[in-house]
């Protein structure tokens, strides 16, 4: 099963795109934080990871109302795509193809 669930903060307002193949989608990035401890139990700085989220155009109206700094729950599938630049170098990009996005509106979950 390919399923990923994240709770994180939106880094910038979502934007609409159209690929060269004519595929329409909305995308945004979210940041997740992981508290960390050393083996001896001492607290060390949190680790922040950024995730790129793609959303089908059917969810566009809702997703475009989300704002920078808003905490959201995202559920979807993890996919990658390989992109080759002009020099022939291939870079792998990971995306979350979301099928569920919910606003986290509790006071305990501020960004």
């Amino acid at each position: 099963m390919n399923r990923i669930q994240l709770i994180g903060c939106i880094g910038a307002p979502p934007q609409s795109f159209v690929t060269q193949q004519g595929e329409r989608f909305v995308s945004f990035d979210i940041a997740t934080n992981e508290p960390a401890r050393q083996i001896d139990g001492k607290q060390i700085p949190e680790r922040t990871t950024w995730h790129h989220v793609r959303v089908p155009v059917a969810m566009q109206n809702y997703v475009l109302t989300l704002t920078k700094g808003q905490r959201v729950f995202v559920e979807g599938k993890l996919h990658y795509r390989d992109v080759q630049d002009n020099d022939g170098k291939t870079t792998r990009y990971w995306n979350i193809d979301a099928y569920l996005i919910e606003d986290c509106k509790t006071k305990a979950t501020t960004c």
Side-chain angles (χ1 to χ4, degrees):
M1 176 184 346
N2 180 358
R3 178 176 161 187
I4 186 167
Q5 296 178 324
L6 299 170
I7 296 176
C9 297
I10 296 177
Q15 296 182 350
S16 294
F17 293 96
V18 179
T19 66
Q20 292 178 347
Q21 295 78 22
E23 176 190 10
R24 296 173 49 105
F25 65 93
V26 178
S27 73
F28 60 94
D29 295 323
I30 66 169
T32 57
N33 294 318
E34 297 177 59
R37 293 190 183 274
Q38 294 177 343
I39 294 173
D40 61 6
K42 291 182 182 176
Q43 184 80 23
I44 58 176
E46 286 186 330
R47 182 172 65 184
T48 300
T49 305
W50 286 92
H51 310 273
H52 187 73
V53 180
R54 289 174 42 131
V55 181
V57 73
M59 297 170 60
Q60 176 176 349
N61 289 340
Y62 171 70
V63 172
L64 290 175
T65 66
L66 302 175
T67 58
K68 178 180 178 178
Q70 188 172 355
R71 186 174 290 269
V72 292
F73 169 81
V74 174
E75 184 172 311
K77 295 182 177 187
L78 187 61
H79 290 278
Y80 70 87
R81 60 187 170 91
D82 292 328
V83 176
Q84 194 170 35
D85 66 13
N86 293 336
D87 297 329
K89 180 183 173 193
T90 301
T91 304
R92 180 164 285 178
Y93 293 96
W94 292 91
N95 295 312
I96 298 164
D97 290 340
Y99 50 78
L100 177 64
I101 298 174
E102 295 179 0
D103 184 17
C104 295
K105 292 185 177 183
T106 63
K107 291 183 181 178
T109 57
T110 57
C111 291

